[in-house]
Amino acid sequence: MIFYGGVMAGRGMDLRTLFSTNDRALRAEEAFTNRQAQWQIIAEALAEHLHTISLPGFDVEDLEAARRNVVALHGVGGIGKTALSRTIEASLADTSRRPAQWGAPTWPEHVRILPVRIDLARSEGIDFERVVLLLRLALAATGRPMPAFDLTLRRYWEAAHPGEPLEEYLRRGGLLAKFGKALPQQMEGVLGEVAQALLLPGFVGSAVGQVTGALVSALRERRQAVRALAGCTRLADLLEAEPTIDALSFYPHLLSWDLSQLSAKQRVVPVVLFDTWEEIGDRTHRDLERLLQRVVWLMPQAFFVITGRARLQWGDTGLEGQLDWTGPAAWPGLAAGPLPSPRTAAVSAAPAPRRQILIGDFSREDADDYLAQRLTRDGQPLIEPAIRAVIAERSHGLPLHLDLSAMRYLEIRRSGRMPQPDDFAADFPALVARTLQDLTPDERHVLRSVSLFDSFDLALATRAAGLTHEAPALRLVERPFVRENGLSRWPFSLHALIRSTIRSADDQTDDHWSPRDWDHAARRAFTALGGQWTAHTGRDRLLLTGALRQGLAIARDFRLDLDWLADATWAYVADEIWEPIAPPAAPEPTGNPAPLATAADALMETLSALARRQHEHRERTITRLTEVVSADLLPADLTELVVYYLAKAHRDLGHSTESRAGMQQVADGGGRLAPAARRGLAHLARLDGDFPAALRTAQSLGWEGRQHRVEGDVRWVQGDMTGAVAAYERARADAERHGVAGERATAQAQLALATAFADPVCAAVELELAEQLLAGLDLRATTITTRIAALVQGAGTSGDLEDGAQRLRTEISVAGLNSAQLPTLELALAFHHAVRGDRDGVTAAISRLHDLAQGGGHAYYTDIARFMAGLPLPGPDSGARWLDGQQATRDRWRGLVTARVDHLRTAR
């Protein structure tokens, strides 16, 4: 929902836009998007505050009690903090201007709230003296003098501004016209009343020193004449103190006391809204912050809403000496860590709820609403929905980006053409300037360096920036445009739009980086990533994949050599887990993917294809890997990796000739994947039915070639489930010993399949373990194997397995695993029908197996189906060379069927 300028600081058009066009029908409103969640927190905190100060034991002169009178709102520049601050001010001043969605507050209607909004921006000419005057001027609306405060302020003014009447200062600053003459008149009235009470006839306004001197004496002597001020225990001390800016910062204590002396009908509760808090200084120079903090502490019955870019640090430990009151015991609601314990916060009545609020980005719907109402013509949105959608997506919810996009829209219309969605694909230099303006030079340097990362930690940020100390990075990560996720390997990340803008916008700042500066930073960042990975001695998969993902992007964008990425790639492949590594390449203007131009491009495409093959058809995998081989950008060993997985994809589709050629090429090369390629050749021999050759090759593979798993694959098709299970158990143990999670899950899935044929009871246990080992892994073929094993386990039961089998057929076909998995599925169905004595079902399964064999491989599966059902072989057999001969193989498969029949009969 959108609210117009009236709920901010007065109704009216956005004047900047008004003077940007000749179109008088155009309406450009200063739109405000609903911040209901933030209002609710503030309203609840204010209601609690009002209850606290109404309690009998509340004392404004208690300087030790913890303070809960602050809510701090922080967020990136342009997120809408000022608009929210103005809306809160307007809502508290006049309930009719409160957005309806915000809801009514819960405090009593008789409570008189006095909002005082003070913009601390340097452009407003604000200093501490002016802040104090603004507070007092706002309270002049009560119509009552503040005697204790007014006396000390008058004394201060005479000393700090000799010869300059306060009234003249207020007139020159434009404050007299806004607030009237109430304050000077009230101050003069107080001086006159005190002079009269002290019997100082002939008092002249300029003789304030005489009055205050006499008043101090009267207070010290506890004279009856000044009993109205005698209750202010610290008034005499402040009147005697040298009237400096430092002393002025303690005067709000007197203002607070004066407020507490008002009658119930006259009493007001100031709600002070300090905006643009980031303008008061930095984390090193806190002089003005110290003075303003005193105002907050010394006015405990006032409520303060502070808005700025950085989190308020008052509740943090370790700031002693920089500010007067720090730590969680002093400011429970502002503490960054756990709330203080009762022992360490004995002065607190109860822990306060959190009072630090991060102002988040707009939702997509809010962003669209903002744009729809920002520019209108004849009551209708000027910006078309398609363009609004592009702007909203690119803005990442940052209101400043939305506002700048609206101005860009008008600029394009002014040029004589209609804006198009592509016109809003660029970032704005103004966002860079807005982000950088309150950072130190070192912080700006770190910010640009970490914009190269998706996520980072302090060590990575420091090394990427080329610094020897972490202090600038520590300060940077406290900024609201830095997100923190404690569960991430690298906990910090930049706001997406800020990062994009820093990287891509035309940076016009005085210390902007040249292309060479960016190149040097990229090399530092790339080296830092590689250093973190190579220095880690354990098997940290998150570190590996994160370093690969970020390192590939940097190497691609800055055309760097692969360096450590090659070793990281081999580590990634070795675990056989296949997490996504790289996003799809950005499309060219034609809509087609950009051509591969660098080794990093080729490696990114390779790893993306290997991960995506778990979700894409193998034909797509072949196309992508063929393109990588053709580009010839990778070093020889990584090219060999591509050729190997290309050959595997061909095998999955039944392209035996192409698969054998690729596997042979890799095996002959003698590289890292030579054992795996020899395993591939063994699989191809098994598909052709040459089992003696497949077994001989398997027994020479060793762990690198997954010897035991290949042996199991050869033995289970012989009907030798005992030998297959033993081989798969050894394969699983090898994988556990070497810490290869993917291979362990694959061996267990195959073990479950072999067990399912032999013993459905034990198979349940093996299937459960397979599912546990697959959790968190992206292994599509292995997952399908477990589902086929589950069908085999249920073979022969009264339930119809055809529905589940059909779903699996569809999934196998979509994955492009027809050659690798579909024959096994049909064999499982043949087993089911054989157990049930369904000759027609077996015949149908044999027919499907025969059709599948025409694509190459697994021709002997039709023989196995006949063995199961006790059927003779028709004419010439498949030509399979069984390890123990055809008859022994037939007997084992038929024995598995009769054993299952007996098991089912016993179970009934």
Side-chain angles (χ1 to χ4, degrees), residues 720-746:
D720 180 10
M721 300 308 169
T722 301
V725 166
Y728 288 136
E729 287 176 338
R730 290 192 292 271
R732 185 185 63 196
D734 281 349
E736 288 174 345
R737 186 164 55 253
H738 288 87
V740 182
E743 173 61 21
R744 181 179 60 173
T746 299

PDB file of all heavy atoms in Angstrom, residues 720-746:
ATOM      1  N   ASP A 720      24.335 -64.569  -9.287  1.00  0.00           N
ATOM      2  CA  ASP A 720      25.167 -64.868  -8.115  1.00  0.00           C
ATOM      3  C   ASP A 720      25.029 -63.718  -7.118  1.00  0.00           C
ATOM      4  O   ASP A 720      25.915 -62.866  -7.010  1.00  0.00           O
ATOM      5  CB  ASP A 720      26.622 -65.047  -8.560  1.00  0.00           C
ATOM      6  CG  ASP A 720      27.561 -65.351  -7.395  1.00  0.00           C
ATOM      7  OD1 ASP A 720      27.055 -65.610  -6.280  1.00  0.00           O
ATOM      8  OD2 ASP A 720      28.792 -65.288  -7.591  1.00  0.00           O
ATOM      9  N   MET A 721      23.920 -63.672  -6.379  1.00  0.00           N
ATOM     10  CA  MET A 721      23.674 -62.557  -5.487  1.00  0.00           C
ATOM     11  C   MET A 721      24.582 -62.596  -4.267  1.00  0.00           C
ATOM     12  O   MET A 721      24.959 -61.549  -3.735  1.00  0.00           O
ATOM     13  CB  MET A 721      22.207 -62.538  -5.051  1.00  0.00           C
ATOM     14  CG  MET A 721      21.229 -62.410  -6.219  1.00  0.00           C
ATOM     15  SD  MET A 721      21.631 -61.004  -7.303  1.00  0.00           S
ATOM     16  CE  MET A 721      20.551 -61.332  -8.696  1.00  0.00           C
ATOM     17  N   THR A 722      24.983 -63.798  -3.844  1.00  0.00           N
ATOM     18  CA  THR A 722      25.907 -63.884  -2.709  1.00  0.00           C
ATOM     19  C   THR A 722      27.238 -63.242  -3.065  1.00  0.00           C
ATOM     20  O   THR A 722      27.796 -62.434  -2.308  1.00  0.00           O
ATOM     21  CB  THR A 722      26.109 -65.345  -2.305  1.00  0.00           C
ATOM     22  OG1 THR A 722      24.845 -65.921  -1.946  1.00  0.00           O
ATOM     23  CG2 THR A 722      27.065 -65.450  -1.121  1.00  0.00           C
ATOM     24  N   GLY A 723      27.774 -63.591  -4.243  1.00  0.00           N
ATOM     25  CA  GLY A 723      29.038 -63.002  -4.673  1.00  0.00           C
ATOM     26  C   GLY A 723      28.914 -61.505  -4.921  1.00  0.00           C
ATOM     27  O   GLY A 723      29.820 -60.728  -4.617  1.00  0.00           O
ATOM     28  N   ALA A 724      27.749 -61.078  -5.484  1.00  0.00           N
ATOM     29  CA  ALA A 724      27.542 -59.652  -5.764  1.00  0.00           C
ATOM     30  C   ALA A 724      27.476 -58.855  -4.472  1.00  0.00           C
ATOM     31  O   ALA A 724      28.104 -57.791  -4.349  1.00  0.00           O
ATOM     32  CB  ALA A 724      26.271 -59.463  -6.573  1.00  0.00           C
ATOM     33  N   VAL A 725      26.718 -59.358  -3.484  1.00  0.00           N
ATOM     34  CA  VAL A 725      26.590 -58.640  -2.215  1.00  0.00           C
ATOM     35  C   VAL A 725      27.944 -58.499  -1.541  1.00  0.00           C
ATOM     36  O   VAL A 725      28.297 -57.428  -1.019  1.00  0.00           O
ATOM     37  CB  VAL A 725      25.584 -59.360  -1.299  1.00  0.00           C
ATOM     38  CG1 VAL A 725      25.683 -58.832   0.136  1.00  0.00           C
ATOM     39  CG2 VAL A 725      24.168 -59.181  -1.825  1.00  0.00           C
ATOM     40  N   ALA A 726      28.735 -59.571  -1.557  1.00  0.00           N
ATOM     41  CA  ALA A 726      30.065 -59.512  -0.942  1.00  0.00           C
ATOM     42  C   ALA A 726      30.934 -58.462  -1.636  1.00  0.00           C
ATOM     43  O   ALA A 726      31.664 -57.703  -0.990  1.00  0.00           O
ATOM     44  CB  ALA A 726      30.732 -60.887  -0.995  1.00  0.00           C
ATOM     45  N   ALA A 727      30.866 -58.410  -2.969  1.00  0.00           N
ATOM     46  CA  ALA A 727      31.665 -57.430  -3.714  1.00  0.00           C
ATOM     47  C   ALA A 727      31.215 -56.010  -3.405  1.00  0.00           C
ATOM     48  O   ALA A 727      32.039 -55.095  -3.205  1.00  0.00           O
ATOM     49  CB  ALA A 727      31.557 -57.715  -5.210  1.00  0.00           C
ATOM     50  N   TYR A 728      29.912 -55.807  -3.359  1.00  0.00           N
ATOM     51  CA  TYR A 728      29.401 -54.466  -3.074  1.00  0.00           C
ATOM     52  C   TYR A 728      29.735 -54.032  -1.648  1.00  0.00           C
ATOM     53  O   TYR A 728      29.982 -52.846  -1.388  1.00  0.00           O
ATOM     54  CB  TYR A 728      27.886 -54.410  -3.292  1.00  0.00           C
ATOM     55  CG  TYR A 728      27.481 -54.465  -4.740  1.00  0.00           C
ATOM     56  CD1 TYR A 728      26.416 -55.272  -5.151  1.00  0.00           C
ATOM     57  CD2 TYR A 728      28.126 -53.699  -5.708  1.00  0.00           C
ATOM     58  CE1 TYR A 728      26.013 -55.317  -6.479  1.00  0.00           C
ATOM     59  CE2 TYR A 728      27.730 -53.739  -7.033  1.00  0.00           C
ATOM     60  CZ  TYR A 728      26.672 -54.554  -7.418  1.00  0.00           C
ATOM     61  OH  TYR A 728      26.293 -54.595  -8.733  1.00  0.00           O
ATOM     62  N   GLU A 729      29.727 -54.955  -0.709  1.00  0.00           N
ATOM     63  CA  GLU A 729      30.115 -54.606   0.659  1.00  0.00           C
ATOM     64  C   GLU A 729      31.566 -54.160   0.714  1.00  0.00           C
ATOM     65  O   GLU A 729      31.914 -53.201   1.427  1.00  0.00           O
ATOM     66  CB  GLU A 729      29.882 -55.796   1.599  1.00  0.00           C
ATOM     67  CG  GLU A 729      28.412 -56.054   1.899  1.00  0.00           C
ATOM     68  CD  GLU A 729      28.204 -57.292   2.748  1.00  0.00           C
ATOM     69  OE1 GLU A 729      29.108 -58.171   2.752  1.00  0.00           O
ATOM     70  OE2 GLU A 729      27.131 -57.413   3.385  1.00  0.00           O
ATOM     71  N   ARG A 730      32.439 -54.855  -0.045  1.00  0.00           N
ATOM     72  CA  ARG A 730      33.842 -54.415  -0.093  1.00  0.00           C
ATOM     73  C   ARG A 730      33.961 -53.042  -0.764  1.00  0.00           C
ATOM     74  O   ARG A 730      34.774 -52.208  -0.349  1.00  0.00           O
ATOM     75  CB  ARG A 730      34.680 -55.460  -0.839  1.00  0.00           C
ATOM     76  CG  ARG A 730      34.869 -56.774  -0.078  1.00  0.00           C
ATOM     77  CD  ARG A 730      35.922 -57.654  -0.718  1.00  0.00           C
ATOM     78  NE  ARG A 730      35.498 -58.171  -2.012  1.00  0.00           N
ATOM     79  CZ  ARG A 730      34.831 -59.300  -2.209  1.00  0.00           C
ATOM     80  NH1 ARG A 730      34.500 -60.045  -1.155  1.00  0.00           N
ATOM     81  NH2 ARG A 730      34.510 -59.703  -3.424  1.00  0.00           N
ATOM     82  N   ALA A 731      33.132 -52.817  -1.789  1.00  0.00           N
ATOM     83  CA  ALA A 731      33.152 -51.507  -2.461  1.00  0.00           C
ATOM     84  C   ALA A 731      32.716 -50.403  -1.509  1.00  0.00           C
ATOM     85  O   ALA A 731      33.309 -49.310  -1.468  1.00  0.00           O
ATOM     86  CB  ALA A 731      32.237 -51.540  -3.683  1.00  0.00           C
ATOM     87  N   ARG A 732      31.674 -50.670  -0.730  1.00  0.00           N
ATOM     88  CA  ARG A 732      31.206 -49.661   0.231  1.00  0.00           C
ATOM     89  C   ARG A 732      32.262 -49.389   1.291  1.00  0.00           C
ATOM     90  O   ARG A 732      32.487 -48.226   1.673  1.00  0.00           O
ATOM     91  CB  ARG A 732      29.918 -50.146   0.883  1.00  0.00           C
ATOM     92  CG  ARG A 732      29.265 -49.132   1.813  1.00  0.00           C
ATOM     93  CD  ARG A 732      28.064 -49.735   2.522  1.00  0.00           C
ATOM     94  NE  ARG A 732      28.471 -50.858   3.379  1.00  0.00           N
ATOM     95  CZ  ARG A 732      27.621 -51.761   3.885  1.00  0.00           C
ATOM     96  NH1 ARG A 732      26.327 -51.691   3.596  1.00  0.00           N
ATOM     97  NH2 ARG A 732      28.062 -52.729   4.660  1.00  0.00           N
ATOM     98  N   ALA A 733      32.928 -50.448   1.766  1.00  0.00           N
ATOM     99  CA  ALA A 733      33.976 -50.263   2.776  1.00  0.00           C
ATOM    100  C   ALA A 733      35.130 -49.444   2.211  1.00  0.00           C
ATOM    101  O   ALA A 733      35.689 -48.572   2.903  1.00  0.00           O
ATOM    102  CB  ALA A 733      34.474 -51.630   3.256  1.00  0.00           C
ATOM    103  N   ASP A 734      35.503 -49.694   0.961  1.00  0.00           N
ATOM    104  CA  ASP A 734      36.567 -48.901   0.330  1.00  0.00           C
ATOM    105  C   ASP A 734      36.173 -47.425   0.273  1.00  0.00           C
ATOM    106  O   ASP A 734      36.978 -46.522   0.555  1.00  0.00           O
ATOM    107  CB  ASP A 734      36.836 -49.401  -1.092  1.00  0.00           C
ATOM    108  CG  ASP A 734      37.700 -50.660  -1.126  1.00  0.00           C
ATOM    109  OD1 ASP A 734      38.254 -51.017  -0.070  1.00  0.00           O
ATOM    110  OD2 ASP A 734      37.799 -51.281  -2.202  1.00  0.00           O
ATOM    111  N   ALA A 735      34.934 -47.164  -0.116  1.00  0.00           N
ATOM    112  CA  ALA A 735      34.470 -45.774  -0.230  1.00  0.00           C
ATOM    113  C   ALA A 735      34.466 -45.081   1.131  1.00  0.00           C
ATOM    114  O   ALA A 735      34.825 -43.907   1.249  1.00  0.00           O
ATOM    115  CB  ALA A 735      33.077 -45.743  -0.851  1.00  0.00           C
ATOM    116  N   GLU A 736      34.048 -45.830   2.170  1.00  0.00           N
ATOM    117  CA  GLU A 736      34.058 -45.246   3.514  1.00  0.00           C
ATOM    118  C   GLU A 736      35.490 -44.948   3.957  1.00  0.00           C
ATOM    119  O   GLU A 736      35.752 -43.901   4.557  1.00  0.00           O
ATOM    120  CB  GLU A 736      33.399 -46.210   4.494  1.00  0.00           C
ATOM    121  CG  GLU A 736      31.884 -46.317   4.322  1.00  0.00           C
ATOM    122  CD  GLU A 736      31.269 -47.389   5.204  1.00  0.00           C
ATOM    123  OE1 GLU A 736      32.036 -48.235   5.733  1.00  0.00           O
ATOM    124  OE2 GLU A 736      30.030 -47.396   5.347  1.00  0.00           O
ATOM    125  N   ARG A 737      36.405 -45.844   3.633  1.00  0.00           N
ATOM    126  CA  ARG A 737      37.796 -45.649   4.032  1.00  0.00           C
ATOM    127  C   ARG A 737      38.410 -44.435   3.336  1.00  0.00           C
ATOM    128  O   ARG A 737      39.199 -43.699   3.920  1.00  0.00           O
ATOM    129  CB  ARG A 737      38.598 -46.918   3.713  1.00  0.00           C
ATOM    130  CG  ARG A 737      40.032 -46.880   4.215  1.00  0.00           C
ATOM    131  CD  ARG A 737      40.662 -48.264   4.236  1.00  0.00           C
ATOM    132  NE  ARG A 737      40.588 -48.920   2.935  1.00  0.00           N
ATOM    133  CZ  ARG A 737      39.772 -49.935   2.652  1.00  0.00           C
ATOM    134  NH1 ARG A 737      38.945 -50.400   3.592  1.00  0.00           N
ATOM    135  NH2 ARG A 737      39.765 -50.492   1.456  1.00  0.00           N
ATOM    136  N   HIS A 738      38.015 -44.210   2.092  1.00  0.00           N
ATOM    137  CA  HIS A 738      38.563 -43.077   1.339  1.00  0.00           C
ATOM    138  C   HIS A 738      37.711 -41.820   1.476  1.00  0.00           C
ATOM    139  O   HIS A 738      38.075 -40.767   0.942  1.00  0.00           O
ATOM    140  CB  HIS A 738      38.690 -43.447  -0.148  1.00  0.00           C
ATOM    141  CG  HIS A 738      39.801 -44.420  -0.430  1.00  0.00           C
ATOM    142  ND1 HIS A 738      39.618 -45.787  -0.345  1.00  0.00           N
ATOM    143  CD2 HIS A 738      41.094 -44.219  -0.777  1.00  0.00           C
ATOM    144  CE1 HIS A 738      40.759 -46.395  -0.649  1.00  0.00           C
ATOM    145  NE2 HIS A 738      41.674 -45.467  -0.912  1.00  0.00           N
ATOM    146  N   GLY A 739      36.578 -41.915   2.166  1.00  0.00           N
ATOM    147  CA  GLY A 739      35.748 -40.739   2.398  1.00  0.00           C
ATOM    148  C   GLY A 739      35.059 -40.204   1.163  1.00  0.00           C
ATOM    149  O   GLY A 739      34.873 -38.994   1.041  1.00  0.00           O
ATOM    150  N   VAL A 740      34.640 -41.090   0.248  1.00  0.00           N
ATOM    151  CA  VAL A 740      33.964 -40.650  -0.982  1.00  0.00           C
ATOM    152  C   VAL A 740      32.478 -40.966  -0.833  1.00  0.00           C
ATOM    153  O   VAL A 740      32.035 -42.106  -1.034  1.00  0.00           O
ATOM    154  CB  VAL A 740      34.559 -41.341  -2.224  1.00  0.00           C
ATOM    155  CG1 VAL A 740      33.860 -40.832  -3.482  1.00  0.00           C
ATOM    156  CG2 VAL A 740      36.055 -41.071  -2.308  1.00  0.00           C
ATOM    157  N   ALA A 741      31.708 -39.939  -0.480  1.00  0.00           N
ATOM    158  CA  ALA A 741      30.304 -40.144  -0.139  1.00  0.00           C
ATOM    159  C   ALA A 741      29.488 -40.646  -1.320  1.00  0.00           C
ATOM    160  O   ALA A 741      28.604 -41.504  -1.175  1.00  0.00           O
ATOM    161  CB  ALA A 741      29.709 -38.842   0.388  1.00  0.00           C
ATOM    162  N   GLY A 742      29.748 -40.115  -2.525  1.00  0.00           N
ATOM    163  CA  GLY A 742      28.973 -40.525  -3.696  1.00  0.00           C
ATOM    164  C   GLY A 742      29.173 -41.986  -4.029  1.00  0.00           C
ATOM    165  O   GLY A 742      28.219 -42.719  -4.327  1.00  0.00           O
ATOM    166  N   GLU A 743      30.420 -42.448  -3.983  1.00  0.00           N
ATOM    167  CA  GLU A 743      30.704 -43.850  -4.282  1.00  0.00           C
ATOM    168  C   GLU A 743      30.114 -44.770  -3.217  1.00  0.00           C
ATOM    169  O   GLU A 743      29.600 -45.851  -3.525  1.00  0.00           O
ATOM    170  CB  GLU A 743      32.216 -44.058  -4.374  1.00  0.00           C
ATOM    171  CG  GLU A 743      32.666 -45.496  -4.519  1.00  0.00           C
ATOM    172  CD  GLU A 743      32.140 -46.175  -5.782  1.00  0.00           C
ATOM    173  OE1 GLU A 743      31.771 -45.446  -6.746  1.00  0.00           O
ATOM    174  OE2 GLU A 743      32.089 -47.427  -5.815  1.00  0.00           O
ATOM    175  N   ARG A 744      30.157 -44.343  -1.966  1.00  0.00           N
ATOM    176  CA  ARG A 744      29.573 -45.152  -0.898  1.00  0.00           C
ATOM    177  C   ARG A 744      28.075 -45.344  -1.131  1.00  0.00           C
ATOM    178  O   ARG A 744      27.546 -46.453  -0.985  1.00  0.00           O
ATOM    179  CB  ARG A 744      29.817 -44.468   0.454  1.00  0.00           C
ATOM    180  CG  ARG A 744      29.279 -45.242   1.638  1.00  0.00           C
ATOM    181  CD  ARG A 744      29.572 -44.545   2.940  1.00  0.00           C
ATOM    182  NE  ARG A 744      28.983 -43.210   3.004  1.00  0.00           N
ATOM    183  CZ  ARG A 744      28.980 -42.452   4.099  1.00  0.00           C
ATOM    184  NH1 ARG A 744      29.537 -42.887   5.211  1.00  0.00           N
ATOM    185  NH2 ARG A 744      28.427 -41.253   4.067  1.00  0.00           N
ATOM    186  N   ALA A 745      27.370 -44.266  -1.505  1.00  0.00           N
ATOM    187  CA  ALA A 745      25.936 -44.370  -1.753  1.00  0.00           C
ATOM    188  C   ALA A 745      25.645 -45.246  -2.961  1.00  0.00           C
ATOM    189  O   ALA A 745      24.693 -46.037  -2.966  1.00  0.00           O
ATOM    190  CB  ALA A 745      25.349 -42.964  -1.958  1.00  0.00           C
ATOM    191  N   THR A 746      26.475 -45.132  -4.012  1.00  0.00           N
ATOM    192  CA  THR A 746      26.261 -45.936  -5.218  1.00  0.00           C
ATOM    193  C   THR A 746      26.462 -47.419  -4.928  1.00  0.00           C
ATOM    194  O   THR A 746      25.663 -48.271  -5.359  1.00  0.00           O
ATOM    195  CB  THR A 746      27.212 -45.473  -6.332  1.00  0.00           C
ATOM    196  OG1 THR A 746      26.932 -44.098  -6.633  1.00  0.00           O
ATOM    197  CG2 THR A 746      27.038 -46.316  -7.579  1.00  0.00           C
TER     198      THR A 746
END
